[in-house]
Amino acid sequence: FLQLVTTSVGVFSNDGEAIVIVSRIGGSTSPLSVDYFTVDGTAKAGDHYERTTGQLVWQHGDIADKSIRIRISNAASDSGKVLERAFQLRLAYVTGTTLVDN
């Protein structure tokens, strides 16, 4: 199984990045992979964060947590105001296991 360890991340625009941790749980007897990608919400890719896509891969016997790093733009505030913005990170196209819903 795969499970998001980090289900919600709060960062400031000057933090530089958000980090999401994905764990493999319940065994490591076969390889598995999952694709990931960001989706705009009130935060817009290119303006507030860097659009991020990729694939996490665990080989046979690998139980190490994997991290996804998403760059956050320092220009995400308007006129010095701190604004709350959101985007989603989605996992899809899992091979070799299933996702655990928190």
Side-chain angles (χ1 to χ4, degrees), residues 12-14 74-85:
F12 291 101
S13 60
N14 61 355
N74 196 20
S77 63
D78 294 333
S79 304
K81 296 178 186 175
V82 175
L83 302 175
E84 190 172 306
R85 305 214 187 257

Side-chain angles (χ1 to χ4, degrees), residues 33-37 55 91-96 99:
S33 65
V34 62
D35 293 347
Y36 62 86
F37 56 96
Q55 184 178 65
L91 302 180
Y93 310 111
V94 179
T95 60
L99 294 173

Side-chain angles (χ1 to χ4, degrees), residues 55-96:
Q55 184 178 65
L56 300 175
V57 177
W58 287 261
Q59 298 300 327
H60 173 78
D62 182 3
I63 59 169
D65 289 349
K66 308 293 182 192
S67 60
I68 301 168
R69 296 178 179 272
I70 304 161
R71 290 186 184 265
I72 305 299
S73 171
N74 196 20
S77 63
D78 294 333
S79 304
K81 296 178 186 175
V82 175
L83 302 175
E84 190 172 306
R85 305 214 187 257
F87 61 89
Q88 295 180 351
L89 176 69
R90 294 193 183 161
L91 302 180
Y93 310 111
V94 179
T95 60

Side-chain angles (χ1 to χ4, degrees), residues 10-65:
V11 296
F12 291 101
S13 60
N14 61 355
D15 286 345
E17 69 180 357
I19 301 172
V20 178
I21 306 298
V22 182
S23 290
R24 179 180 191 164
I25 57 174
S28 62
T29 58
S30 63
L32 66 93
S33 65
V34 62
D35 293 347
Y36 62 86
F37 56 96
T38 53
V39 177
D40 284 355
T42 54
K44 304 299 180 198
D47 292 335
H48 305 108
Y49 72 97
E50 185 176 299
R51 184 175 314 282
T52 305
T53 63
Q55 184 178 65
L56 300 175
V57 177
W58 287 261
Q59 298 300 327
H60 173 78
D62 182 3
I63 59 169
D65 289 349

